[in-house]
Amino acid sequence: QLQVAESGGGLVQAGGSLRLSCTVSGLTFDDYVMGWFRQAPGKEREGVACIDWNGGYKNYLESVKGRITISRDNAKKTLYLQMNSLKPEDTAIYYCAAAACGPGTVQALDLMKGYWGQGTQVTVSS
C-alpha cells in the first residue's frame, strides 16, 4: 500500500530556511516523477516543484524559482525540498506526491487519490 510521510516543517521568520523531507513506501520510487505541493488556508492545492526520475529535469512554480530547490535520493526513497528566503506567502501545508512534470505544470497523478500524506506545516512570520 502506498504511504508517504512528510516532515521538516516549522515556524520560521521571513528570510529563513527549511528543508522538507518525504519518505515513500509501497511504490517503486525511482520509477516515478515526484512533486511537492502546498495548500494554504482557503486556497486550492498547488504544485510547487517537480523532479524526474534521476533529477535531470526539474520544474518550479514561478513564485518560488530561485528560492526553492527540489532533489531526491532514490536509494533512500526520499524526496527533499530546500526552501530559502522564505516569505509569509509560502505559509501552507506541504505535501509530496507522484506527479506529472512539464513546463508550467506540476500535477499529482491519479494514483495518489486516497493516499496523500498528512503533510507538514510551514509557517513563515513577517
Side-chain angles (χ1 to χ4, degrees):
Q1 182 174 346
L2 175 59
Q3 291 185 319
V4 296
E6 301 91 349
S7 61
L11 171 63
V12 296
Q13 291 187 332
S17 298
L18 284 172
R19 188 191 195 207
L20 308 184
S21 298
C22 170
T23 57
V24 179
S25 61
L27 175 149
T28 307
F29 184 73
D30 53 3
D31 279 353
Y32 287 88
V33 173
M34 296 296 298
W36 282 98
F37 299 79
R38 68 185 181 187
Q39 187 165 20
K43 294 189 176 181
E44 296 286 319
R45 186 157 49 198
E46 64 179 353
V48 175
C50 54
I51 184 169
D52 73 356
W53 305 269
N54 64 2
Y57 177 82
K58 303 175 184 180
N59 190 34
Y60 296 94
L61 184 69
E62 194 64 34
S63 63
V64 306
K65 282 182 179 177
R67 301 188 296 116
I68 288 180
T69 303
I70 189 171
S71 62
R72 65 191 295 163
D73 185 331
N74 287 341
K76 296 181 178 179
K77 297 186 178 183
T78 302
L79 183 72
Y80 301 100
L81 192 70
Q82 177 67 44
M83 303 193 296
N84 301 323
S85 303
L86 282 162
K87 303 177 179 181
E89 51 263 44
D90 294 318
T91 294
I93 300 175
Y94 283 71
Y95 304 88
C96 72
C101 183
T105 183
V106 182
Q107 297 285 341
L109 297 183
D110 285 347
L111 64 86
M112 292 301 305
K113 288 182 181 178
Y115 294 104
W116 288 87
Q118 295 296 307
T120 186
Q121 175 72 50
V122 171
T123 304
V124 185
S125 62
S126 57

